[in-house]
Amino acid sequence: LDSLELLRDTRRIAAWYAMRGYPGTSAVAGTVPTGPRTVEVRFRVREAPPVLIDTVRITGLPARLIDQPRLIATLRGGPLDDSLIVATLDSVQQLLRAEGYARARPPTRSVSLDTVARRARVTLEFRPGALIRVGTIDVAMTANDSTKPALGDDEVRELLRFRPGDVYSSRAVGSSQQLLY
């Protein structure tokens, strides 16, 4: 049994709780001999009260894409769970890119803590940039053996799931790629 690793495990447990919104949680490891060369490891965790999110502010999101009140309600009242906030930011960023904001810059977050009241104010800032539309679609193909390509320009355009003037969609591009393959 590596006693240094056991100490590190107690710190990892406390760090995991802190990341999930319970800073100040402590863990203590204990061992109980179960045989001549074996022990049972027990962790005693003293969970601190959670830091609760009492205010959520969202800026920069196009109103039509996300149900912002629902998103706020999902976060408000719960623990200041870093992994949930990161997953939320990632999900919204993917949605922005899928719905025409191909140049959306990475979102940022800021947290203001009241450590005495164990409350947090979270601000999520999105920078979607301009809505991108599909322009002219040019098809340029050459066959591997310098003969005529297997598909013609019109056949390729038929397989595309987007047309000139459509709002750019990464989903439509991916779907088109699958159809072309």
Side-chain angles (χ1 to χ4, degrees), residues 62-84:
R64 65 176 179 78
L65 285 183
I66 302 287
D67 181 353
Q68 291 186 35
R70 183 172 169 217
L71 180 59
I72 290 169
T74 300
L75 297 172
R76 188 184 308 146
L80 181 61
D81 185 336
D82 191 55
S83 60
L84 178 61

Side-chain angles (χ1 to χ4, degrees), residues 125-141:
E125 182 183 350
F126 294 90
R127 296 171 291 193
L131 184 65
I132 305 294
R133 293 194 175 273
V134 176
T136 304
I137 300 172
D138 295 320
V139 178
M141 294 187 307

Side-chain angles (χ1 to χ4, degrees), residues 17-18 20-26 45-53 78-80 113-119:
Y17 270 88
R20 296 295 185 159
Y22 296 82
T25 294
S26 62
V45 177
R46 180 172 289 148
E47 189 177 282
V51 171
L52 298 176
I53 299 172
L80 181 61
L113 288 174
D114 179 342
T115 55
V116 174
R118 298 192 73 81
R119 296 286 186 256

Side-chain angles (χ1 to χ4, degrees), residues 141 150-151 155-156 159-160 172-181:
M141 294 187 307
L151 293 175
E155 293 168 307
V156 170
L159 292 172
L160 299 179
V173 171
S175 176
S176 297
Q177 286 176 327
Q178 287 179 340
L179 290 170
L180 285 167
Y181 289 133

